[in-house]
Amino acid sequence: MKLYLAGNSAEALRCRQIANSIALNGIEVLCGWTYWTPESHSDEDFNWLYCLAQIRQADALLVVAPDWESPNRLRGAHVEVGYALGRGLPI
């Protein structure tokens, strides 16, 4: 099974830690965006195309939501969730 992990880029480290825990159970986690820095991936169009390509490879999508009071709410993860829903993936 392949799982795409969606979350806020401000919480990339937390998302990577969650992805590593999930991978220990034999699930392939697609979350390439968690390794990006503003310097390494400044092309917004490429970033979105890459994320959408990973979602197309996934069997399901998991949203890592920050605390509701956090200023770092989901932001772009809303797009990822909508795209996955449109493709019929379980969220």
Coordinates of all heavy atoms in Angstrom, one line a residue:
M1 N 0.8 -1.2 0.0 CA 0.0 0.0 0.0 C 0.9 1.2 0.0 O 1.9 1.3 0.7 CB -0.9 0.0 1.2 CG -1.7 1.3 1.4 SD -2.7 1.3 2.8 CE -3.9 2.5 2.3
K2 N 0.4 2.2 -0.8 CA 1.1 3.5 -0.8 C 0.2 4.6 -0.2 O -0.9 4.7 -0.6 CB 1.5 3.9 -2.2 CG 2.6 3.0 -2.8 CD 2.9 3.5 -4.2 CE 3.9 2.5 -4.9 NZ 4.3 2.9 -6.2
L3 N 0.8 5.4 0.7 CA 0.0 6.4 1.4 C 0.7 7.8 1.1 O 1.8 7.9 1.4 CB 0.0 6.1 2.9 CG -0.7 7.0 3.8 CD1 -2.2 6.9 3.6 CD2 -0.4 6.7 5.2
Y4 N -0.1 8.7 0.6 CA 0.4 10.1 0.5 C 0.1 10.8 1.8 O -1.0 10.8 2.3 CB -0.3 10.8 -0.7 CG 0.3 12.2 -0.9 CD1 1.4 12.4 -1.6 CD2 -0.4 13.3 -0.3 CE1 1.9 13.7 -1.8 CE2 0.2 14.6 -0.4 CZ 1.3 14.8 -1.2 OH 1.9 16.0 -1.3
L5 N 1.1 11.5 2.3 CA 0.9 12.3 3.5 C 0.8 13.7 3.2 O 1.8 14.3 2.6 CB 2.2 12.0 4.4 CG 2.1 12.5 5.8 CD1 1.1 11.6 6.6 CD2 3.4 12.5 6.5
A6 N -0.3 14.3 3.5 CA -0.5 15.8 3.3 C -0.4 16.5 4.6 O -0.9 16.0 5.6 CB -1.9 16.0 2.6
G7 N 0.1 17.7 4.6 CA 0.2 18.5 5.8 C 0.7 19.9 5.4 O 0.9 20.2 4.2
N8 N 0.9 20.7 6.4 CA 1.4 22.0 6.2 C 3.0 22.0 6.2 O 3.6 21.4 7.0 CB 1.0 22.9 7.4 CG 1.3 24.4 7.2 OD1 2.5 24.7 7.0 ND2 0.3 25.2 7.1
S9 N 3.5 22.7 5.2 CA 5.0 22.7 5.1 C 5.7 23.3 6.3 O 6.9 22.9 6.5 CB 5.4 23.5 3.8 OG 4.9 24.9 3.9
A10 N 5.0 24.1 7.1 CA 5.6 24.6 8.3 C 5.8 23.5 9.3 O 6.6 23.6 10.3 CB 4.8 25.7 8.9
E11 N 5.2 22.3 9.1 CA 5.3 21.2 10.0 C 5.9 20.0 9.3 O 5.6 18.8 9.6 CB 3.9 20.8 10.6 CG 3.3 21.9 11.4 CD 2.2 21.5 12.3 OE1 1.7 20.4 12.2 OE2 1.9 22.2 13.3
A12 N 6.8 20.3 8.4 CA 7.4 19.2 7.6 C 8.1 18.2 8.5 O 8.1 17.0 8.2 CB 8.3 19.8 6.5
L13 N 8.9 18.7 9.5 CA 9.6 17.7 10.3 C 8.6 16.8 11.1 O 8.9 15.6 11.1 CB 10.5 18.5 11.3 CG 11.2 17.6 12.3 CD1 12.2 16.7 11.6 CD2 12.0 18.5 13.3
R14 N 7.6 17.3 11.6 CA 6.6 16.5 12.3 C 6.0 15.5 11.3 O 5.8 14.3 11.6 CB 5.5 17.4 12.9 CG 4.4 16.6 13.6 CD 3.4 17.5 14.2 NE 2.2 16.8 14.7 CZ 1.0 17.0 14.2 NH1 0.8 18.0 13.3 NH2 0.0 16.3 14.6
C15 N 5.7 15.9 10.1 CA 5.1 15.0 9.1 C 6.1 13.9 8.7 O 5.7 12.7 8.6 CB 4.7 15.8 7.9 SG 3.3 16.9 8.1
R16 N 7.4 14.2 8.6 CA 8.4 13.2 8.3 C 8.5 12.2 9.4 O 8.7 11.0 9.2 CB 9.8 13.9 8.1 CG 10.4 13.6 6.8 CD 11.8 14.2 6.6 NE 12.3 15.2 7.6 CZ 12.4 16.5 7.4 NH1 12.0 17.0 6.2 NH2 13.0 17.2 8.3
Q17 N 8.4 12.7 10.7 CA 8.4 11.7 11.8 C 7.2 10.8 11.8 O 7.4 9.6 12.0 CB 8.5 12.5 13.1 CG 9.8 13.3 13.3 CD 9.7 14.3 14.5 OE1 8.6 14.7 14.9 NE2 10.8 14.7 15.0
I18 N 6.1 11.3 11.4 CA 4.9 10.4 11.3 C 5.1 9.5 10.2 O 4.8 8.3 10.3 CB 3.6 11.3 11.1 CG1 3.4 12.1 12.5 CG2 2.4 10.5 10.7 CD1 2.3 13.2 12.3
A19 N 5.6 10.0 9.0 CA 5.8 9.1 7.9 C 6.8 7.9 8.2 O 6.5 6.8 7.9 CB 6.4 9.9 6.7
N20 N 7.8 8.3 9.0 CA 8.8 7.2 9.4 C 8.1 6.2 10.3 O 8.4 5.0 10.1 CB 10.0 7.8 10.1 CG 10.9 8.6 9.1 OD1 10.9 8.4 7.9 ND2 11.6 9.6 9.7
S21 N 7.3 6.6 11.2 CA 6.6 5.6 12.0 C 5.6 4.7 11.2 O 5.6 3.5 11.5 CB 5.7 6.4 13.1 OG 6.6 7.1 14.0
I22 N 4.9 5.3 10.3 CA 4.0 4.5 9.4 C 4.8 3.5 8.6 O 4.4 2.4 8.4 CB 3.2 5.5 8.5 CG1 2.2 6.3 9.4 CG2 2.4 4.7 7.5 CD1 1.6 7.4 8.6
A23 N 6.0 4.0 8.1 CA 6.8 3.1 7.2 C 7.3 1.9 8.0 O 7.5 0.8 7.4 CB 8.0 3.9 6.6
L24 N 7.5 2.0 9.3 CA 7.9 0.9 10.1 C 6.9 -0.3 10.0 O 7.2 -1.4 10.3 CB 8.1 1.3 11.6 CG 9.3 2.2 11.8 CD1 9.3 2.7 13.3 CD2 10.6 1.5 11.4
N25 N 5.7 0.0 9.6 CA 4.6 -1.0 9.5 C 4.5 -1.5 8.1 O 3.5 -2.2 7.8 CB 3.3 -0.4 10.0 CG 3.3 -0.2 11.5 OD1 3.5 -1.1 12.3 ND2 3.2 1.1 11.9
G26 N 5.5 -1.2 7.3 CA 5.5 -1.8 5.9 C 4.7 -1.0 4.9 O 4.4 -1.5 3.8
I27 N 4.2 0.2 5.2 CA 3.5 1.0 4.3 C 4.4 2.0 3.7 O 5.2 2.7 4.4 CB 2.3 1.7 5.1 CG1 1.4 0.7 5.6 CG2 1.6 2.7 4.1 CD1 0.3 1.3 6.5
E28 N 4.4 2.1 2.4 CA 5.2 3.1 1.7 C 4.5 4.5 1.8 O 3.4 4.6 1.4 CB 5.4 2.7 0.2 CG 6.2 3.7 -0.6 CD 6.4 3.3 -2.0 OE1 6.1 2.1 -2.4 OE2 7.0 4.1 -2.8
V29 N 5.2 5.4 2.3 CA 4.7 6.8 2.5 C 5.3 7.7 1.5 O 6.5 7.8 1.4 CB 4.9 7.3 3.9 CG1 4.3 8.6 4.1 CG2 4.4 6.3 4.9
L30 N 4.5 8.4 0.7 CA 4.9 9.4 -0.3 C 4.8 10.7 0.3 O 3.6 11.2 0.6 CB 4.0 9.2 -1.5 CG 3.9 7.8 -2.1 CD1 2.9 7.8 -3.2 CD2 5.3 7.5 -2.7
C31 N 5.9 11.4 0.6 CA 5.9 12.7 1.2 C 7.1 13.5 0.9 O 7.8 14.1 1.7 CB 5.7 12.6 2.7 SG 7.0 11.7 3.6
G32 N 7.5 13.5 -0.4 CA 8.7 14.1 -0.8 C 8.8 15.6 -0.5 O 9.8 16.1 -0.2
W33 N 7.6 16.2 -0.4 CA 7.6 17.7 0.0 C 8.1 18.0 1.3 O 8.6 19.1 1.6 CB 6.1 18.2 -0.1 CG 5.2 17.6 0.8 CD1 4.4 16.5 0.7 CD2 4.9 18.0 2.2 NE1 3.7 16.2 1.8 CE2 4.0 17.1 2.7 CE3 5.4 19.0 3.0 CZ2 3.5 17.2 4.0 CZ3 4.9 19.2 4.3 CH2 4.0 18.3 4.8
T34 N 8.2 17.0 2.2 CA 8.7 17.2 3.6 C 10.2 17.4 3.6 O 10.7 17.9 4.7 CB 8.3 16.1 4.5 OG1 8.9 14.9 4.1 CG2 6.8 15.9 4.6
Y35 N 10.9 17.1 2.5 CA 12.3 17.3 2.5 C 12.7 18.6 1.8 O 13.9 18.9 1.7 CB 13.0 16.1 1.8 CG 12.8 14.8 2.6 CD1 11.7 14.0 2.3 CD2 13.7 14.5 3.6 CE1 11.5 12.8 3.1 CE2 13.5 13.4 4.4 CZ 12.4 12.5 4.1 OH 12.3 11.4 4.8
W36 N 11.8 19.4 1.3 CA 12.1 20.6 0.6 C 12.4 21.7 1.5 O 12.0 21.8 2.6 CB 10.9 21.0 -0.3 CG 10.6 20.0 -1.4 CD1 11.3 18.9 -1.8 CD2 9.4 20.0 -2.1 NE1 10.6 18.2 -2.7 CE2 9.5 18.9 -3.0 CE3 8.3 20.8 -2.2 CZ2 8.5 18.5 -3.9 CZ3 7.3 20.5 -3.1 CH2 7.4 19.4 -4.0
T37 N 13.2 22.6 0.9 CA 13.5 23.9 1.6 C 13.1 25.0 0.6 O 13.1 24.7 -0.6 CB 15.0 24.1 2.0 OG1 15.7 24.1 0.8 CG2 15.4 23.0 2.9
P38 N 12.9 26.2 1.0 CA 12.6 27.3 0.0 C 13.7 27.4 -1.0 O 13.4 27.7 -2.2 CB 12.4 28.5 0.9 CG 12.0 28.0 2.2 CD 12.7 26.7 2.4
E39 N 14.9 27.2 -0.6 CA 16.0 27.3 -1.5 C 16.1 26.2 -2.6 O 16.4 26.4 -3.7 CB 17.4 27.4 -0.8 CG 17.5 28.5 0.2 CD 16.7 28.4 1.5 OE1 16.6 27.2 1.9 OE2 16.3 29.4 2.0
S40 N 15.7 25.0 -2.1 CA 15.8 23.8 -3.0 C 14.6 23.7 -3.9 O 14.8 23.1 -5.0 CB 16.0 22.5 -2.2 OG 14.8 22.2 -1.5
H41 N 13.5 24.2 -3.6 CA 12.3 24.1 -4.4 C 11.5 25.4 -4.5 O 10.5 25.5 -3.8 CB 11.4 23.0 -3.8 CG 11.9 21.6 -4.1 ND1 12.9 21.0 -3.4 CD2 11.6 20.7 -5.1 CE1 13.2 19.9 -3.9 NE2 12.4 19.6 -4.9
S42 N 12.1 26.3 -5.2 CA 11.4 27.6 -5.3 C 10.4 27.7 -6.4 O 9.7 28.7 -6.5 CB 12.5 28.7 -5.5 OG 13.2 28.5 -6.7
D43 N 10.3 26.7 -7.3 CA 9.4 26.7 -8.4 C 8.1 26.1 -8.0 O 7.9 24.9 -7.9 CB 10.0 25.9 -9.6 CG 9.2 25.9 -10.8 OD1 8.0 26.3 -10.8 OD2 9.7 25.5 -11.9
E44 N 7.1 27.0 -7.7 CA 5.8 26.6 -7.2 C 5.1 25.7 -8.2 O 4.4 24.7 -7.7 CB 4.9 27.9 -7.0 CG 5.4 28.7 -5.8 CD 4.9 28.2 -4.5 OE1 3.8 27.6 -4.4 OE2 5.7 28.4 -3.5
D45 N 5.2 25.9 -9.4 CA 4.5 25.0 -10.4 C 5.0 23.6 -10.3 O 4.3 22.6 -10.3 CB 4.6 25.6 -11.8 CG 3.8 26.9 -12.0 OD1 2.8 27.1 -11.3 OD2 4.2 27.6 -12.9
F46 N 6.4 23.5 -10.3 CA 7.0 22.2 -10.2 C 6.6 21.5 -8.9 O 6.2 20.3 -8.9 CB 8.5 22.3 -10.2 CG 9.2 21.0 -9.9 CD1 9.3 20.0 -10.8 CD2 9.6 20.7 -8.6 CE1 9.9 18.7 -10.5 CE2 10.2 19.5 -8.2 CZ 10.3 18.5 -9.2
N47 N 6.6 22.2 -7.8 CA 6.2 21.7 -6.5 C 4.8 21.0 -6.6 O 4.6 19.9 -6.1 CB 6.2 22.7 -5.4 CG 7.6 23.3 -5.2 OD1 8.6 22.7 -5.7 ND2 7.7 24.4 -4.5
W48 N 3.8 21.8 -7.1 CA 2.5 21.2 -7.2 C 2.4 20.0 -8.1 O 1.7 19.1 -7.8 CB 1.5 22.3 -7.6 CG 1.1 23.2 -6.4 CD1 1.4 24.5 -6.2 CD2 0.4 22.8 -5.3 NE1 0.9 24.9 -5.0 CE2 0.3 23.9 -4.4 CE3 -0.2 21.5 -4.9 CZ2 -0.4 23.8 -3.2 CZ3 -0.9 21.5 -3.7 CH2 -0.9 22.6 -2.8
L49 N 3.1 20.1 -9.3 CA 3.0 19.0 -10.2 C 3.6 17.7 -9.5 O 3.1 16.6 -9.7 CB 3.7 19.3 -11.5 CG 3.1 20.4 -12.3 CD1 4.0 20.7 -13.5 CD2 1.7 19.8 -12.8
Y50 N 4.7 17.9 -8.8 CA 5.3 16.8 -8.1 C 4.4 16.2 -7.0 O 4.2 15.0 -7.0 CB 6.6 17.3 -7.4 CG 7.4 16.2 -6.7 CD1 8.3 15.4 -7.4 CD2 7.2 16.0 -5.3 CE1 9.0 14.4 -6.7 CE2 7.9 15.0 -4.7 CZ 8.8 14.2 -5.4 OH 9.4 13.2 -4.7
C51 N 3.8 17.0 -6.2 CA 2.8 16.5 -5.2 C 1.7 15.8 -5.9 O 1.3 14.7 -5.4 CB 2.3 17.7 -4.4 SG 3.6 18.4 -3.3
L52 N 1.1 16.4 -6.9 CA 0.0 15.7 -7.6 C 0.4 14.4 -8.2 O -0.4 13.4 -8.2 CB -0.7 16.7 -8.6 CG -1.2 18.0 -8.0 CD1 -1.8 18.8 -9.2 CD2 -2.3 17.7 -7.0
A53 N 1.6 14.3 -8.7 CA 2.1 13.1 -9.3 C 2.2 12.0 -8.2 O 1.9 10.8 -8.4 CB 3.4 13.3 -10.0
Q54 N 2.6 12.4 -7.0 CA 2.7 11.5 -5.9 C 1.3 11.0 -5.4 O 1.1 9.8 -5.1 CB 3.5 12.1 -4.7 CG 5.0 12.1 -4.9 CD 5.8 12.1 -3.6 OE1 5.5 12.9 -2.7 NE2 6.8 11.3 -3.6
I55 N 0.4 11.9 -5.4 CA -1.0 11.5 -5.1 C -1.5 10.5 -6.1 O -2.2 9.6 -5.7 CB -1.9 12.8 -5.0 CG1 -1.5 13.6 -3.8 CG2 -3.4 12.4 -4.8 CD1 -2.1 15.0 -3.8
R56 N -1.2 10.7 -7.4 CA -1.7 9.7 -8.4 C -1.1 8.3 -8.1 O -1.7 7.3 -8.5 CB -1.3 10.2 -9.8 CG -2.2 11.3 -10.3 CD -2.0 11.5 -11.8 NE -0.7 11.9 -12.1 CZ -0.2 13.2 -12.1 NH1 -1.0 14.2 -11.7 NH2 1.0 13.4 -12.5
Q57 N 0.1 8.2 -7.5 CA 0.7 6.9 -7.2 C 0.1 6.3 -5.9 O 0.3 5.1 -5.7 CB 2.2 7.1 -7.0 CG 2.9 7.6 -8.2 CD 4.4 7.9 -7.8 OE1 5.0 7.2 -7.0 NE2 5.0 8.9 -8.5
A58 N -0.6 7.1 -5.1 CA -1.1 6.6 -3.8 C -2.3 5.8 -3.9 O -3.2 6.0 -4.8 CB -1.2 7.8 -2.9
D59 N -2.5 5.0 -2.8 CA -3.8 4.2 -2.6 C -4.7 5.0 -1.7 O -5.9 4.7 -1.6 CB -3.5 2.8 -2.1 CG -2.6 2.1 -3.0 OD1 -2.9 1.9 -4.2 OD2 -1.5 1.6 -2.6
A60 N -4.1 5.9 -0.9 CA -4.9 6.6 0.1 C -4.1 7.9 0.5 O -2.9 8.0 0.2 CB -5.2 5.8 1.3
L61 N -4.8 8.8 1.1 CA -4.2 10.0 1.6 C -4.5 10.2 3.1 O -5.6 10.0 3.5 CB -4.7 11.2 0.8 CG -4.1 12.6 1.1 CD1 -3.9 13.4 -0.2 CD2 -4.9 13.4 2.1
L62 N -3.4 10.6 3.8 CA -3.5 10.9 5.2 C -3.2 12.3 5.4 O -2.2 12.8 5.0 CB -2.6 10.0 6.0 CG -2.5 10.3 7.5 CD1 -3.8 9.9 8.2 CD2 -1.3 9.6 8.2
V63 N -4.1 13.0 6.1 CA -3.9 14.5 6.4 C -3.3 14.6 7.9 O -3.9 14.1 8.8 CB -5.2 15.3 6.3 CG1 -4.9 16.7 6.6 CG2 -5.8 15.1 4.9
V64 N -2.2 15.2 8.0 CA -1.6 15.5 9.3 C -2.1 17.0 9.6 O -1.5 17.9 9.0 CB -0.1 15.4 9.3 CG1 0.4 15.8 10.7 CG2 0.3 14.0 9.0
A65 N -3.0 17.1 10.5 CA -3.6 18.4 10.8 C -2.9 19.0 12.0 O -2.7 18.3 13.0 CB -5.1 18.3 11.0
P66 N -2.5 20.3 11.9 CA -2.0 20.9 13.1 C -3.1 21.2 14.1 O -4.3 21.1 13.8 CB -1.4 22.2 12.6 CG -2.1 22.5 11.3 CD -2.5 21.2 10.8
D67 N -2.7 21.6 15.3 CA -3.7 22.1 16.3 C -4.6 23.1 15.7 O -4.1 24.0 15.0 CB -2.9 22.6 17.5 CG -3.8 23.1 18.6 OD1 -5.1 22.9 18.5 OD2 -3.3 23.8 19.5
W68 N -5.9 23.1 15.9 CA -6.8 24.0 15.3 C -6.4 25.5 15.6 O -6.7 26.3 14.8 CB -8.2 23.7 15.7 CG -9.2 24.6 15.0 CD1 -9.9 25.6 15.5 CD2 -9.5 24.6 13.6 NE1 -10.7 26.2 14.6 CE2 -10.5 25.6 13.4 CE3 -9.1 23.8 12.5 CZ2 -11.0 25.8 12.1 CZ3 -9.6 24.0 11.3 CH2 -10.6 25.0 11.1
E69 N -5.9 25.7 16.7 CA -5.5 27.1 17.1 C -4.2 27.5 16.4 O -3.8 28.7 16.5 CB -5.4 27.2 18.6 CG -6.7 26.9 19.3 CD -7.8 27.8 19.0 OE1 -7.6 29.0 18.8 OE2 -8.9 27.3 18.8
S70 N -3.5 26.6 15.8 CA -2.2 26.9 15.2 C -2.4 27.9 14.0 O -3.3 27.8 13.2 CB -1.5 25.7 14.7 OG -0.4 25.9 13.9
P71 N -1.4 28.8 13.9 CA -1.5 29.7 12.7 C -1.0 29.0 11.4 O -1.2 29.4 10.3 CB -0.4 30.8 13.0 CG 0.5 30.2 14.0 CD -0.3 29.2 14.8
N72 N -0.5 27.7 11.6 CA 0.0 26.9 10.5 C -1.1 25.9 10.1 O -0.8 24.8 9.9 CB 1.3 26.2 10.9 CG 2.4 27.1 11.2 OD1 2.5 28.2 10.5 ND2 3.2 26.8 12.2
R73 N -2.3 26.4 9.8 CA -3.3 25.4 9.5 C -3.0 24.7 8.2 O -1.8 24.7 7.8 CB -4.7 26.2 9.3 CG -5.1 26.8 10.6 CD -6.6 26.7 10.8 NE -6.9 27.2 12.1 CZ -7.5 28.4 12.2 NH1 -7.8 29.2 11.2 NH2 -7.7 28.9 13.4
L74 N -3.9 24.1 7.5 CA -3.5 23.1 6.4 C -3.0 23.8 5.2 O -2.3 23.2 4.4 CB -4.7 22.3 6.1 CG -5.1 21.3 7.2 CD1 -6.3 20.5 6.9 CD2 -3.9 20.3 7.4
R75 N -3.5 25.0 4.9 CA -3.1 25.7 3.6 C -3.2 24.8 2.4 O -4.2 24.4 2.0 CB -1.7 26.3 3.8 CG -1.6 27.3 4.9 CD -0.3 27.9 5.0 NE -0.2 28.8 6.2 CZ 0.7 29.6 6.4 NH1 1.8 29.6 5.7 NH2 0.7 30.3 7.5
G76 N -2.0 24.5 1.8 CA -2.0 23.7 0.5 C -2.6 22.3 0.6 O -2.9 21.7 -0.4
A77 N -2.6 21.8 1.8 CA -3.2 20.4 2.0 C -4.6 20.3 1.5 O -5.1 19.3 1.1 CB -3.0 20.0 3.4
H78 N -5.3 21.5 1.6 CA -6.7 21.5 1.1 C -6.8 21.1 -0.4 O -7.6 20.4 -0.9 CB -7.4 22.8 1.3 CG -7.6 23.2 2.7 ND1 -6.9 24.1 3.4 CD2 -8.5 22.7 3.6 CE1 -7.3 24.2 4.6 NE2 -8.3 23.3 4.7
V79 N -5.8 21.6 -1.2 CA -5.7 21.2 -2.6 C -5.4 19.8 -2.8 O -6.1 19.1 -3.6 CB -4.7 22.1 -3.3 CG1 -4.5 21.7 -4.8 CG2 -5.0 23.6 -3.2
E80 N -4.5 19.3 -2.0 CA -4.1 17.8 -2.1 C -5.3 16.9 -1.7 O -5.6 15.9 -2.4 CB -2.9 17.5 -1.2 CG -1.7 18.3 -1.6 CD -0.6 18.3 -0.6 OE1 -0.9 18.5 0.6 OE2 0.6 18.1 -1.0
V81 N -6.0 17.3 -0.7 CA -7.2 16.5 -0.3 C -8.3 16.6 -1.4 O -8.9 15.5 -1.7 CB -7.8 17.1 1.0 CG1 -9.2 16.4 1.3 CG2 -6.8 16.8 2.2
G82 N -8.5 17.7 -1.9 CA -9.5 17.8 -3.0 C -9.1 17.0 -4.2 O -10.0 16.3 -4.8
Y83 N -7.9 17.1 -4.6 CA -7.4 16.3 -5.7 C -7.5 14.8 -5.5 O -8.0 14.0 -6.3 CB -5.9 16.6 -6.0 CG -5.4 16.0 -7.3 CD1 -5.8 16.4 -8.5 CD2 -4.4 15.0 -7.2 CE1 -5.3 15.9 -9.7 CE2 -3.9 14.4 -8.3 CZ -4.3 14.8 -9.6 OH -3.8 14.3 -10.7
A84 N -7.2 14.3 -4.3 CA -7.3 12.9 -3.9 C -8.8 12.5 -3.9 O -9.1 11.4 -4.4 CB -6.7 12.7 -2.5
L85 N -9.7 13.3 -3.4 CA -11.1 13.0 -3.4 C -11.6 12.9 -4.8 O -12.4 12.0 -5.1 CB -11.9 14.1 -2.7 CG -11.8 14.1 -1.1 CD1 -12.5 15.3 -0.5 CD2 -12.5 12.8 -0.6
G86 N -11.2 13.8 -5.7 CA -11.6 13.8 -7.1 C -11.1 12.5 -7.8 O -11.7 12.0 -8.7
R87 N -10.0 11.9 -7.3 CA -9.5 10.7 -7.9 C -10.1 9.5 -7.2 O -9.8 8.3 -7.5 CB -8.0 10.6 -7.8 CG -7.3 11.7 -8.6 CD -5.8 11.6 -8.7 NE -5.4 10.3 -9.3 CZ -5.4 10.0 -10.6 NH1 -5.8 10.8 -11.4 NH2 -5.0 8.8 -10.9
G88 N -11.0 9.7 -6.2 CA -11.6 8.6 -5.5 C -10.8 7.9 -4.4 O -11.1 6.8 -4.0
L89 N -9.7 8.6 -4.0 CA -8.9 8.0 -2.9 C -9.6 8.1 -1.5 O -10.1 9.2 -1.3 CB -7.5 8.6 -2.9 CG -6.6 8.5 -4.1 CD1 -5.3 9.2 -3.8 CD2 -6.3 7.0 -4.3
P90 N -9.4 7.1 -0.7 CA -9.9 7.3 0.7 C -9.0 8.3 1.4 O -7.8 8.3 1.2 CB -9.8 5.9 1.3 CG -9.0 5.1 0.3 CD -8.9 5.8 -1.0
I91 N -9.6 9.1 2.2 CA -8.8 10.1 3.0 C -8.8 9.7 4.4 O -9.8 9.3 5.0 CB -9.5 11.5 2.9 CG1 -9.8 11.9 1.4 CG2 -8.7 12.6 3.6 CD1 -8.5 12.1 0.6

